[in-house]
Amino acid sequence: MLVNGIKMLQDAKKGKYAVPQFNINNLEWTKYILEECNSNNVPVILGVSEGAGKYMGGFKVVAKMVEGLMEELNINIDVCLHLDHGSSFEVCKRAIDSGFTSVMIDASKYELEENMRITKEVVDYAHERGVSVEAEVGHIGGSEDGVSNEVYHATVEDCVSLSMTGIDSIAPALGSVHGLYKGLPNLNFERMQIINETLAIPLVLHGGTGIPDADIKRAISCGISKININTELQIAWHNAVVEFVLNNKDVYDPRKVIGSGQDAMKKAISDKIKLFFNR
Ligand code: 13P
């Protein structure tokens, strides 16, 4: 069923596991993610960045595509359709009005007061419509969809203040980066644990690509209930497609070219499921 993210993340916080957010970029990826999560019987969050939403033809197309795939493929698990890093109230409103069940408002580039003001506006609009809200504080580093950031760790006080807006989950920047890490990630586990013990809402870890398994497990034990993965799926798919194209230069059917990344992507998804759900 298409659901918001509230219960699935609260269950994860209680059960000490993490729900994956896999970012989608096209119909094929959405299909692979839905099929693999359904066959493992785990809930999933489909993350859609503003850029990916535009690429797929707009939020309405994405929502209808997800609804259609779920029906045609007999998907029985809980699926949350989530806007990733919504940059303004207007963008979040468009996603909500198009049928998204969850949004992230990322006003972390503003001072805390302005971040809180924009986040509260989104919370009020979303909650009236049964849609869940994630917000960010501090700066997650790296770059995603051409948007770059320096790392700046969230403080416990800032997390408490942002949570007062009524958000359903929070992404405190604690050293993770989007895309590939330069060197090894250095996550602030101590602060993660304190924030988790201080707040009732679930914590989200962005920049899941490239974090060693042991650190992922530790993050989950410190209270992380949702982990976002984008680049790792892109790399798994890309490597398989490059190999296929180099070995099959005369194949031009796009279904075969795009589909040659299916097994590698499903394997990457299934590896993350084992790790995040402690299987
Ligand atoms: P990665 O691309 O590093 O996996 O990060 C994904 C993410 O955090 C999306 O918001």
Side-chain angles (χ1 to χ4, degrees):
M1 223 177 31
L2 205 53
V3 296
N4 67 33
I6 298 177
K7 184 171 181 310
M8 66 166 77
L9 292 188
Q10 277 171 358
D11 287 350
K13 183 169 167 118
K14 274 186 227 121
K16 293 206 176 301
Y17 58 86
V19 178
Q21 172 185 309
F22 294 121
N23 282 55
I24 59 172
N25 288 288
N26 57 21
L27 179 138
E28 289 84 351
W29 282 44
T30 313
K31 185 166 172 270
Y32 306 157
I33 294 165
L34 288 174
E35 284 174 342
E36 194 58 29
C37 292
N38 197 56
S39 68
N40 280 283
N41 197 25
V42 291
V44 67
I45 297 166
L46 301 175
V48 181
S49 68
E50 287 184 41
K54 259 190 214 139
Y55 173 82
M56 287 183 272
F59 292 150
K60 283 192 184 142
V61 179
V62 176
K64 297 281 179 218
M65 173 182 77
V66 170
E67 277 169 30
L69 282 173
M70 286 179 64
E71 194 182 328
E72 293 282 353
L73 301 172
N74 292 318
I75 300 297
N76 303 312
I77 50 168
D78 282 344
V79 176
C80 173
L81 179 58
H82 177 76
L83 172 67
D84 193 23
H85 293 282
S87 60
S88 65
F89 170 79
E90 287 71 28
V91 174
C92 292
K93 178 178 181 299
R94 254 195 312 112
I96 294 167
D97 294 346
S98 302
F100 280 48
T101 54
S102 184
V103 291
M104 174 191 189
I105 171 68
D106 180 0
S108 62
K109 66 175 183 234
Y110 300 106
E111 292 294 318
L112 182 64
E113 268 186 27
E114 182 64 356
N115 185 351
M116 287 171 66
R117 188 192 65 73
I118 299 169
T119 300
K120 176 84 172 66
E121 203 182 354
V122 173
V123 168
D124 289 345
Y125 190 81
H127 282 182
E128 264 176 35
R129 290 156 183 83
V131 169
S132 49
V133 181
E134 172 185 329
E136 176 175 325
V137 64
H139 295 318
I140 290 160
S143 91
E144 186 175 57
D145 259 350
V147 181
S148 303
N149 244 331
E150 293 295 318
V151 178
Y152 168 70
H153 288 209
T155 64
V156 181
E157 294 73 28
D158 287 359
C159 290
V160 170
S161 300
L162 192 62
S163 75
M164 306 287 207
T165 57
I167 48 174
D168 305 292
S169 60
I170 188 164
L174 293 170
S176 63
V177 305
H178 290 124
L180 298 174
Y181 287 82
K182 295 185 186 101
L184 278 178
N186 186 12
L187 302 182
N188 193 336
F189 293 108
E190 290 73 23
R191 197 173 295 172
M192 201 180 274
Q193 180 132 23
I194 298 169
I195 295 169
N196 182 49
E197 283 161 6
T198 310
L199 301 185
I201 53 173
L203 307 190
V204 178
L205 178 63
H206 280 247
T209 296
I211 300 180
D213 288 3
D215 281 3
I216 291 279
K217 285 194 175 147
R218 191 163 168 205
I220 294 172
S221 78
C222 290
I224 291 291
S225 307
K226 169 178 179 266
I227 302 176
N228 293 4
I229 302 281
N230 184 17
T231 309
E232 204 162 327
L233 293 192
Q234 298 186 354
I235 292 172
W237 178 83
H238 175 252
N239 287 344
V241 173
V242 167
E243 194 185 332
F244 176 83
V245 171
L246 290 176
N247 291 318
N248 299 275
K249 289 197 175 129
D250 52 345
V251 176
Y252 48 80
D253 182 338
R255 293 168 297 187
K256 293 197 173 127
V257 176
I258 297 171
S260 66
Q262 170 170 208
D263 291 351
M265 244 189 90
K266 284 192 167 173
K267 162 93 174 56
I269 293 164
S270 128
D271 287 348
K272 292 299 160 201
I273 290 173
K274 286 192 192 97
L275 185 62
F276 293 2
F277 290 90
N278 312 308
R279 292 187 168 175

